[in-house]
PDB file of all heavy atoms in Angstrom:
ATOM      1  N   MET A   4      84.777 114.860  -5.638  1.00 96.00           N
ATOM      2  CA  MET A   4      84.540 115.944  -6.601  1.00 96.00           C
ATOM      3  C   MET A   4      84.545 115.415  -8.036  1.00 96.00           C
ATOM      4  O   MET A   4      85.483 114.739  -8.443  1.00 96.00           O
ATOM      5  CB  MET A   4      85.600 117.032  -6.447  1.00 96.00           C
ATOM      6  CG  MET A   4      85.538 117.807  -5.169  1.00 96.00           C
ATOM      7  SD  MET A   4      86.775 119.132  -5.150  1.00 96.00           S
ATOM      8  CE  MET A   4      86.610 119.711  -3.455  1.00 96.00           C
ATOM      9  N   GLU A   5      83.548 115.778  -8.795  1.00 94.00           N
ATOM     10  CA  GLU A   5      83.459 115.354 -10.193  1.00 94.00           C
ATOM     11  C   GLU A   5      84.626 115.896 -11.015  1.00 94.00           C
ATOM     12  O   GLU A   5      85.125 115.230 -11.932  1.00 94.00           O
ATOM     13  CB  GLU A   5      82.131 115.806 -10.787  1.00 94.00           C
ATOM     14  CG  GLU A   5      81.882 115.259 -12.182  1.00 94.00           C
ATOM     15  CD  GLU A   5      80.478 115.500 -12.670  1.00 94.00           C
ATOM     16  OE1 GLU A   5      79.652 116.082 -11.901  1.00 94.00           O
ATOM     17  OE2 GLU A   5      80.171 115.096 -13.814  1.00 94.00           O
ATOM     18  N   GLU A   6      85.087 117.110 -10.693  1.00 95.00           N
ATOM     19  CA  GLU A   6      86.178 117.740 -11.461  1.00 95.00           C
ATOM     20  C   GLU A   6      87.445 116.904 -11.412  1.00 95.00           C
ATOM     21  O   GLU A   6      88.214 116.830 -12.379  1.00 95.00           O
ATOM     22  CB  GLU A   6      86.464 119.148 -10.934  1.00 95.00           C
ATOM     23  CG  GLU A   6      85.337 120.142 -11.110  1.00 95.00           C
ATOM     24  CD  GLU A   6      84.360 120.185  -9.961  1.00 95.00           C
ATOM     25  OE1 GLU A   6      84.348 119.214  -9.147  1.00 95.00           O
ATOM     26  OE2 GLU A   6      83.618 121.169  -9.847  1.00 95.00           O
ATOM     27  N   HIS A   7      87.687 116.265 -10.279  1.00 96.00           N
ATOM     28  CA  HIS A   7      88.869 115.424 -10.122  1.00 96.00           C
ATOM     29  C   HIS A   7      88.861 114.289 -11.142  1.00 96.00           C
ATOM     30  O   HIS A   7      89.875 114.005 -11.794  1.00 96.00           O
ATOM     31  CB  HIS A   7      88.896 114.873  -8.680  1.00 96.00           C
ATOM     32  CG  HIS A   7      89.716 113.631  -8.515  1.00 96.00           C
ATOM     33  ND1 HIS A   7      89.148 112.413  -8.209  1.00 96.00           N
ATOM     34  CD2 HIS A   7      91.053 113.416  -8.622  1.00 96.00           C
ATOM     35  CE1 HIS A   7      90.089 111.495  -8.112  1.00 96.00           C
ATOM     36  NE2 HIS A   7      91.262 112.055  -8.349  1.00 96.00           N
ATOM     37  N   TYR A   8      87.719 113.643 -11.298  1.00 95.00           N
ATOM     38  CA  TYR A   8      87.615 112.520 -12.244  1.00 95.00           C
ATOM     39  C   TYR A   8      87.638 113.008 -13.702  1.00 95.00           C
ATOM     40  O   TYR A   8      88.091 112.293 -14.584  1.00 95.00           O
ATOM     41  CB  TYR A   8      86.360 111.701 -11.933  1.00 95.00           C
ATOM     42  CG  TYR A   8      86.469 111.042 -10.583  1.00 95.00           C
ATOM     43  CD1 TYR A   8      85.972 111.689  -9.461  1.00 95.00           C
ATOM     44  CD2 TYR A   8      87.116 109.827 -10.427  1.00 95.00           C
ATOM     45  CE1 TYR A   8      86.096 111.118  -8.198  1.00 95.00           C
ATOM     46  CE2 TYR A   8      87.245 109.246  -9.171  1.00 95.00           C
ATOM     47  CZ  TYR A   8      86.739 109.894  -8.062  1.00 95.00           C
ATOM     48  OH  TYR A   8      86.886 109.325  -6.824  1.00 95.00           O
ATOM     49  N   ARG A   9      87.144 114.207 -13.927  1.00 95.00           N
ATOM     50  CA  ARG A   9      87.207 114.788 -15.257  1.00 95.00           C
ATOM     51  C   ARG A   9      88.660 114.920 -15.717  1.00 95.00           C
ATOM     52  O   ARG A   9      88.996 114.621 -16.883  1.00 95.00           O
ATOM     53  CB  ARG A   9      86.522 116.152 -15.237  1.00 95.00           C
ATOM     54  CG  ARG A   9      86.191 116.731 -16.598  1.00 95.00           C
ATOM     55  CD  ARG A   9      85.394 118.011 -16.441  1.00 95.00           C
ATOM     56  NE  ARG A   9      84.863 118.474 -17.693  1.00 95.00           N
ATOM     57  CZ  ARG A   9      84.120 119.590 -17.817  1.00 95.00           C
ATOM     58  NH1 ARG A   9      83.848 120.311 -16.741  1.00 95.00           N
ATOM     59  NH2 ARG A   9      83.680 119.952 -19.017  1.00 95.00           N
ATOM     60  N   ILE A  10      89.522 115.343 -14.809  1.00 96.00           N
ATOM     61  CA  ILE A  10      90.946 115.474 -15.118  1.00 96.00           C
ATOM     62  C   ILE A  10      91.586 114.109 -15.362  1.00 96.00           C
ATOM     63  O   ILE A  10      92.317 113.908 -16.342  1.00 96.00           O
ATOM     64  CB  ILE A  10      91.672 116.222 -13.974  1.00 96.00           C
ATOM     65  CG1 ILE A  10      91.254 117.689 -13.975  1.00 96.00           C
ATOM     66  CG2 ILE A  10      93.195 116.088 -14.111  1.00 96.00           C
ATOM     67  CD1 ILE A  10      91.720 118.447 -12.752  1.00 96.00           C
ATOM     68  N   LEU A  11      91.306 113.144 -14.493  1.00 96.00           N
ATOM     69  CA  LEU A  11      91.894 111.815 -14.657  1.00 96.00           C
ATOM     70  C   LEU A  11      91.455 111.167 -15.969  1.00 96.00           C
ATOM     71  O   LEU A  11      92.254 110.517 -16.634  1.00 96.00           O
ATOM     72  CB  LEU A  11      91.524 110.913 -13.475  1.00 96.00           C
ATOM     73  CG  LEU A  11      92.075 111.284 -12.095  1.00 96.00           C
ATOM     74  CD1 LEU A  11      91.923 110.100 -11.137  1.00 96.00           C
ATOM     75  CD2 LEU A  11      93.543 111.706 -12.148  1.00 96.00           C
ATOM     76  N   LYS A  12      90.203 111.356 -16.335  1.00 95.00           N
ATOM     77  CA  LYS A  12      89.700 110.798 -17.596  1.00 95.00           C
ATOM     78  C   LYS A  12      90.388 111.455 -18.788  1.00 95.00           C
ATOM     79  O   LYS A  12      90.684 110.776 -19.783  1.00 95.00           O
ATOM     80  CB  LYS A  12      88.183 110.971 -17.682  1.00 95.00           C
ATOM     81  CG  LYS A  12      87.400 110.034 -16.772  1.00 95.00           C
ATOM     82  CD  LYS A  12      85.917 110.251 -16.930  1.00 95.00           C
ATOM     83  CE  LYS A  12      85.115 109.287 -16.059  1.00 95.00           C
ATOM     84  NZ  LYS A  12      83.644 109.519 -16.184  1.00 95.00           N
ATOM     85  N   GLU A  13      90.635 112.763 -18.699  1.00 96.00           N
ATOM     86  CA  GLU A  13      91.327 113.454 -19.794  1.00 96.00           C
ATOM     87  C   GLU A  13      92.761 112.958 -19.921  1.00 96.00           C
ATOM     88  O   GLU A  13      93.254 112.745 -21.013  1.00 96.00           O
ATOM     89  CB  GLU A  13      91.297 114.975 -19.549  1.00 96.00           C
ATOM     90  CG  GLU A  13      91.888 115.804 -20.688  1.00 96.00           C
ATOM     91  CD  GLU A  13      91.070 115.758 -21.964  1.00 96.00           C
ATOM     92  OE1 GLU A  13      89.838 115.525 -21.887  1.00 96.00           O
ATOM     93  OE2 GLU A  13      91.675 115.947 -23.053  1.00 96.00           O
ATOM     94  N   LEU A  14      93.436 112.788 -18.793  1.00 97.00           N
ATOM     95  CA  LEU A  14      94.790 112.242 -18.820  1.00 97.00           C
ATOM     96  C   LEU A  14      94.817 110.823 -19.380  1.00 97.00           C
ATOM     97  O   LEU A  14      95.702 110.455 -20.151  1.00 97.00           O
ATOM     98  CB  LEU A  14      95.384 112.245 -17.397  1.00 97.00           C
ATOM     99  CG  LEU A  14      95.679 113.625 -16.791  1.00 97.00           C
ATOM    100  CD1 LEU A  14      96.062 113.477 -15.323  1.00 97.00           C
ATOM    101  CD2 LEU A  14      96.799 114.345 -17.544  1.00 97.00           C
ATOM    102  N   ASP A  15      93.819 110.062 -19.006  1.00 96.00           N
ATOM    103  CA  ASP A  15      93.692 108.688 -19.506  1.00 96.00           C
ATOM    104  C   ASP A  15      93.476 108.675 -21.011  1.00 96.00           C
ATOM    105  O   ASP A  15      94.091 107.916 -21.747  1.00 96.00           O
ATOM    106  CB  ASP A  15      92.551 107.986 -18.773  1.00 96.00           C
ATOM    107  CG  ASP A  15      92.468 106.484 -19.087  1.00 96.00           C
ATOM    108  OD1 ASP A  15      93.504 105.904 -19.502  1.00 96.00           O
ATOM    109  OD2 ASP A  15      91.373 105.897 -18.894  1.00 96.00           O
ATOM    110  N   LYS A  16      92.607 109.543 -21.483  1.00 96.00           N
ATOM    111  CA  LYS A  16      92.303 109.636 -22.923  1.00 96.00           C
ATOM    112  C   LYS A  16      93.552 109.976 -23.720  1.00 96.00           C
ATOM    113  O   LYS A  16      93.794 109.428 -24.795  1.00 96.00           O
ATOM    114  CB  LYS A  16      91.218 110.696 -23.152  1.00 96.00           C
ATOM    115  CG  LYS A  16      90.775 110.800 -24.599  1.00 96.00           C
ATOM    116  CD  LYS A  16      89.642 111.804 -24.757  1.00 96.00           C
ATOM    117  CE  LYS A  16      90.165 113.193 -24.804  1.00 96.00           C
ATOM    118  NZ  LYS A  16      89.071 114.204 -25.103  1.00 96.00           N
ATOM    119  N   ARG A  17      94.380 110.868 -23.168  1.00 96.00           N
ATOM    120  CA  ARG A  17      95.600 111.288 -23.838  1.00 96.00           C
ATOM    121  C   ARG A  17      96.794 110.372 -23.536  1.00 96.00           C
ATOM    122  O   ARG A  17      97.897 110.612 -24.043  1.00 96.00           O
ATOM    123  CB  ARG A  17      95.969 112.716 -23.428  1.00 96.00           C
ATOM    124  CG  ARG A  17      94.928 113.770 -23.760  1.00 96.00           C
ATOM    125  CD  ARG A  17      95.372 115.141 -23.299  1.00 96.00           C
ATOM    126  NE  ARG A  17      94.353 116.160 -23.532  1.00 96.00           N
ATOM    127  CZ  ARG A  17      94.636 117.396 -23.974  1.00 96.00           C
ATOM    128  NH1 ARG A  17      95.888 117.743 -24.232  1.00 96.00           N
ATOM    129  NH2 ARG A  17      93.662 118.274 -24.154  1.00 96.00           N
ATOM    130  N   LYS A  18      96.546 109.356 -22.681  1.00 97.00           N
ATOM    131  CA  LYS A  18      97.594 108.422 -22.251  1.00 97.00           C
ATOM    132  C   LYS A  18      98.792 109.148 -21.614  1.00 97.00           C
ATOM    133  O   LYS A  18      99.950 108.781 -21.820  1.00 97.00           O
ATOM    134  CB  LYS A  18      98.046 107.534 -23.418  1.00 97.00           C
ATOM    135  CG  LYS A  18      96.918 106.699 -24.020  1.00 97.00           C
ATOM    136  CD  LYS A  18      97.405 105.660 -24.986  1.00 97.00           C
ATOM    137  CE  LYS A  18      96.275 104.910 -25.633  1.00 97.00           C
ATOM    138  NZ  LYS A  18      95.287 104.310 -24.636  1.00 97.00           N
ATOM    139  N   MET A  19      98.485 110.167 -20.846  1.00 97.00           N
ATOM    140  CA  MET A  19      99.510 110.949 -20.160  1.00 97.00           C
ATOM    141  C   MET A  19      99.754 110.365 -18.760  1.00 97.00           C
ATOM    142  O   MET A  19      99.561 111.006 -17.739  1.00 97.00           O
ATOM    143  CB  MET A  19      99.097 112.412 -20.081  1.00 97.00           C
ATOM    144  CG  MET A  19      99.040 113.099 -21.432  1.00 97.00           C
ATOM    145  SD  MET A  19      98.420 114.815 -21.364  1.00 97.00           S
ATOM    146  CE  MET A  19      99.724 115.624 -20.393  1.00 97.00           C
ATOM    147  N   TYR A  20     100.175 109.124 -18.737  1.00 97.00           N
ATOM    148  CA  TYR A  20     100.340 108.415 -17.475  1.00 97.00           C
ATOM    149  C   TYR A  20     101.620 108.825 -16.730  1.00 97.00           C
ATOM    150  O   TYR A  20     101.825 108.411 -15.584  1.00 97.00           O
ATOM    151  CB  TYR A  20     100.323 106.906 -17.728  1.00 97.00           C
ATOM    152  CG  TYR A  20      99.074 106.428 -18.412  1.00 97.00           C
ATOM    153  CD1 TYR A  20      99.133 105.739 -19.627  1.00 97.00           C
ATOM    154  CD2 TYR A  20      97.826 106.689 -17.854  1.00 97.00           C
ATOM    155  CE1 TYR A  20      97.971 105.320 -20.253  1.00 97.00           C
ATOM    156  CE2 TYR A  20      96.664 106.259 -18.474  1.00 97.00           C
ATOM    157  CZ  TYR A  20      96.745 105.577 -19.678  1.00 97.00           C
ATOM    158  OH  TYR A  20      95.584 105.152 -20.301  1.00 97.00           O
ATOM    159  N   HIS A  21     102.459 109.630 -17.399  1.00 96.00           N
ATOM    160  CA  HIS A  21     103.674 110.107 -16.751  1.00 96.00           C
ATOM    161  C   HIS A  21     103.399 111.253 -15.787  1.00 96.00           C
ATOM    162  O   HIS A  21     104.259 111.569 -14.943  1.00 96.00           O
ATOM    163  CB  HIS A  21     104.680 110.606 -17.813  1.00 96.00           C
ATOM    164  CG  HIS A  21     104.168 111.785 -18.587  1.00 96.00           C
ATOM    165  ND1 HIS A  21     103.267 111.665 -19.607  1.00 96.00           N
ATOM    166  CD2 HIS A  21     104.413 113.133 -18.462  1.00 96.00           C
ATOM    167  CE1 HIS A  21     102.987 112.854 -20.092  1.00 96.00           C
ATOM    168  NE2 HIS A  21     103.671 113.765 -19.409  1.00 96.00           N
ATOM    169  N   VAL A  22     102.259 111.884 -15.917  1.00 97.00           N
ATOM    170  CA  VAL A  22     101.925 113.006 -15.066  1.00 97.00           C
ATOM    171  C   VAL A  22     101.808 112.548 -13.603  1.00 97.00           C
ATOM    172  O   VAL A  22     101.146 111.555 -13.304  1.00 97.00           O
ATOM    173  CB  VAL A  22     100.616 113.683 -15.515  1.00 97.00           C
ATOM    174  CG1 VAL A  22     100.178 114.758 -14.522  1.00 97.00           C
ATOM    175  CG2 VAL A  22     100.795 114.286 -16.911  1.00 97.00           C
ATOM    176  N   ARG A  23     102.458 113.271 -12.738  1.00 96.00           N
ATOM    177  CA  ARG A  23     102.458 112.915 -11.323  1.00 96.00           C
ATOM    178  C   ARG A  23     101.161 113.383 -10.654  1.00 96.00           C
ATOM    179  O   ARG A  23     100.749 114.537 -10.819  1.00 96.00           O
ATOM    180  CB  ARG A  23     103.667 113.544 -10.629  1.00 96.00           C
ATOM    181  CG  ARG A  23     103.882 113.055  -9.196  1.00 96.00           C
ATOM    182  CD  ARG A  23     105.123 113.732  -8.610  1.00 96.00           C
ATOM    183  NE  ARG A  23     105.459 113.146  -7.320  1.00 96.00           N
ATOM    184  CZ  ARG A  23     106.298 113.708  -6.459  1.00 96.00           C
ATOM    185  NH1 ARG A  23     106.898 114.855  -6.766  1.00 96.00           N
ATOM    186  NH2 ARG A  23     106.560 113.113  -5.304  1.00 96.00           N
ATOM    187  N   LEU A  24     100.523 112.504  -9.903  1.00 97.00           N
ATOM    188  CA  LEU A  24      99.301 112.820  -9.180  1.00 97.00           C
ATOM    189  C   LEU A  24      99.597 112.815  -7.678  1.00 97.00           C
ATOM    190  O   LEU A  24     100.114 111.846  -7.144  1.00 97.00           O
ATOM    191  CB  LEU A  24      98.199 111.810  -9.481  1.00 97.00           C
ATOM    192  CG  LEU A  24      97.900 111.512 -10.958  1.00 97.00           C
ATOM    193  CD1 LEU A  24      96.805 110.458 -11.064  1.00 97.00           C
ATOM    194  CD2 LEU A  24      97.496 112.786 -11.704  1.00 97.00           C
ATOM    195  N   ILE A  25      99.272 113.905  -7.009  1.00 96.00           N
ATOM    196  CA  ILE A  25      99.472 114.012  -5.581  1.00 96.00           C
ATOM    197  C   ILE A  25      98.150 114.383  -4.927  1.00 96.00           C
ATOM    198  O   ILE A  25      97.415 115.236  -5.432  1.00 96.00           O
ATOM    199  CB  ILE A  25     100.554 115.052  -5.221  1.00 96.00           C
ATOM    200  CG1 ILE A  25     101.871 114.670  -5.895  1.00 96.00           C
ATOM    201  CG2 ILE A  25     100.746 115.156  -3.718  1.00 96.00           C
ATOM    202  CD1 ILE A  25     102.989 115.639  -5.625  1.00 96.00           C
ATOM    203  N   TYR A  26      97.874 113.749  -3.797  1.00 97.00           N
ATOM    204  CA  TYR A  26      96.580 113.931  -3.137  1.00 97.00           C
ATOM    205  C   TYR A  26      96.748 114.342  -1.677  1.00 97.00           C
ATOM    206  O   TYR A  26      97.649 113.877  -0.982  1.00 97.00           O
ATOM    207  CB  TYR A  26      95.770 112.625  -3.147  1.00 97.00           C
ATOM    208  CG  TYR A  26      95.237 112.246  -4.499  1.00 97.00           C
ATOM    209  CD1 TYR A  26      96.044 111.619  -5.440  1.00 97.00           C
ATOM    210  CD2 TYR A  26      93.922 112.526  -4.859  1.00 97.00           C
ATOM    211  CE1 TYR A  26      95.573 111.281  -6.689  1.00 97.00           C
ATOM    212  CE2 TYR A  26      93.429 112.177  -6.100  1.00 97.00           C
ATOM    213  CZ  TYR A  26      94.259 111.557  -7.021  1.00 97.00           C
ATOM    214  OH  TYR A  26      93.766 111.220  -8.258  1.00 97.00           O
ATOM    215  N   ASN A  27      95.850 115.197  -1.278  1.00 97.00           N
ATOM    216  CA  ASN A  27      95.610 115.432   0.137  1.00 97.00           C
ATOM    217  C   ASN A  27      94.135 115.076   0.355  1.00 97.00           C
ATOM    218  O   ASN A  27      93.247 115.782  -0.108  1.00 97.00           O
ATOM    219  CB  ASN A  27      95.875 116.886   0.523  1.00 97.00           C
ATOM    220  CG  ASN A  27      95.720 117.112   2.005  1.00 97.00           C
ATOM    221  OD1 ASN A  27      94.634 117.006   2.561  1.00 97.00           O
ATOM    222  ND2 ASN A  27      96.800 117.425   2.669  1.00 97.00           N
ATOM    223  N   THR A  28      93.891 113.975   1.012  1.00 98.00           N
ATOM    224  CA  THR A  28      92.550 113.427   1.147  1.00 98.00           C
ATOM    225  C   THR A  28      92.286 112.990   2.577  1.00 98.00           C
ATOM    226  O   THR A  28      93.211 112.592   3.303  1.00 98.00           O
ATOM    227  CB  THR A  28      92.361 112.230   0.206  1.00 98.00           C
ATOM    228  OG1 THR A  28      91.126 111.561   0.516  1.00 98.00           O
ATOM    229  CG2 THR A  28      93.482 111.213   0.321  1.00 98.00           C
ATOM    230  N   ASN A  29      91.019 113.061   2.998  1.00 98.00           N
ATOM    231  CA  ASN A  29      90.681 112.543   4.328  1.00 98.00           C
ATOM    232  C   ASN A  29      90.601 111.023   4.330  1.00 98.00           C
ATOM    233  O   ASN A  29      90.418 110.423   5.385  1.00 98.00           O
ATOM    234  CB  ASN A  29      89.402 113.178   4.890  1.00 98.00           C
ATOM    235  CG  ASN A  29      88.170 112.935   4.025  1.00 98.00           C
ATOM    236  OD1 ASN A  29      87.960 111.870   3.465  1.00 98.00           O
ATOM    237  ND2 ASN A  29      87.310 113.950   3.941  1.00 98.00           N
ATOM    238  N   PHE A  30      90.691 110.419   3.162  1.00 98.00           N
ATOM    239  CA  PHE A  30      90.791 108.976   2.976  1.00 98.00           C
ATOM    240  C   PHE A  30      89.546 108.219   3.452  1.00 98.00           C
ATOM    241  O   PHE A  30      89.596 107.050   3.777  1.00 98.00           O
ATOM    242  CB  PHE A  30      92.039 108.421   3.684  1.00 98.00           C
ATOM    243  CG  PHE A  30      92.565 107.139   3.075  1.00 98.00           C
ATOM    244  CD1 PHE A  30      92.935 107.101   1.731  1.00 98.00           C
ATOM    245  CD2 PHE A  30      92.739 106.003   3.833  1.00 98.00           C
ATOM    246  CE1 PHE A  30      93.421 105.928   1.171  1.00 98.00           C
ATOM    247  CE2 PHE A  30      93.214 104.821   3.283  1.00 98.00           C
ATOM    248  CZ  PHE A  30      93.562 104.776   1.952  1.00 98.00           C
ATOM    249  N   SER A  31      88.419 108.904   3.445  1.00 98.00           N
ATOM    250  CA  SER A  31      87.161 108.257   3.846  1.00 98.00           C
ATOM    251  C   SER A  31      86.444 107.596   2.682  1.00 98.00           C
ATOM    252  O   SER A  31      85.662 106.664   2.871  1.00 98.00           O
ATOM    253  CB  SER A  31      86.234 109.291   4.501  1.00 98.00           C
ATOM    254  OG  SER A  31      85.858 110.282   3.565  1.00 98.00           O
ATOM    255  N   LYS A  32      86.719 108.089   1.450  1.00 97.00           N
ATOM    256  CA  LYS A  32      86.063 107.571   0.255  1.00 97.00           C
ATOM    257  C   LYS A  32      87.087 107.057  -0.743  1.00 97.00           C
ATOM    258  O   LYS A  32      88.180 107.616  -0.861  1.00 97.00           O
ATOM    259  CB  LYS A  32      85.210 108.660  -0.409  1.00 97.00           C
ATOM    260  CG  LYS A  32      84.142 109.271   0.506  1.00 97.00           C
ATOM    261  CD  LYS A  32      83.075 108.257   0.889  1.00 97.00           C
ATOM    262  CE  LYS A  32      81.997 108.895   1.760  1.00 97.00           C
ATOM    263  NZ  LYS A  32      80.998 107.896   2.200  1.00 97.00           N
ATOM    264  N   THR A  33      86.739 106.007  -1.455  1.00 96.00           N
ATOM    265  CA  THR A  33      87.652 105.434  -2.434  1.00 96.00           C
ATOM    266  C   THR A  33      86.980 105.254  -3.794  1.00 96.00           C
ATOM    267  O   THR A  33      87.540 104.630  -4.691  1.00 96.00           O
ATOM    268  CB  THR A  33      88.181 104.066  -1.962  1.00 96.00           C
ATOM    269  OG1 THR A  33      87.113 103.141  -1.854  1.00 96.00           O
ATOM    270  CG2 THR A  33      88.876 104.209  -0.614  1.00 96.00           C
TER     271      THR A  33
END
């Protein structure tokens, strides 16, 4: 999903690396 990367890029831009990321994924794509 493009929206997922939009969020990560925003966090990266703001250097908010303390934010916890949790995933539920089928783990087929990386």
Side-chain angles (χ1 to χ4, degrees):
M4 292 184 188
E5 188 170 358
E6 295 90 342
H7 158 247
Y8 295 92
R9 195 174 190 180
I10 289 170
L11 294 195
K12 286 181 178 179
E13 185 67 26
L14 292 171
D15 188 22
K16 184 176 81 174
R17 299 180 184 220
K18 301 191 184 307
M19 294 175 64
Y20 303 122
H21 64 281
V22 173
R23 189 179 188 195
L24 309 179
I25 301 179
Y26 289 81
N27 184 293
T28 170
N29 60 39
F30 206 57
S31 64
K32 303 294 182 183
T33 64

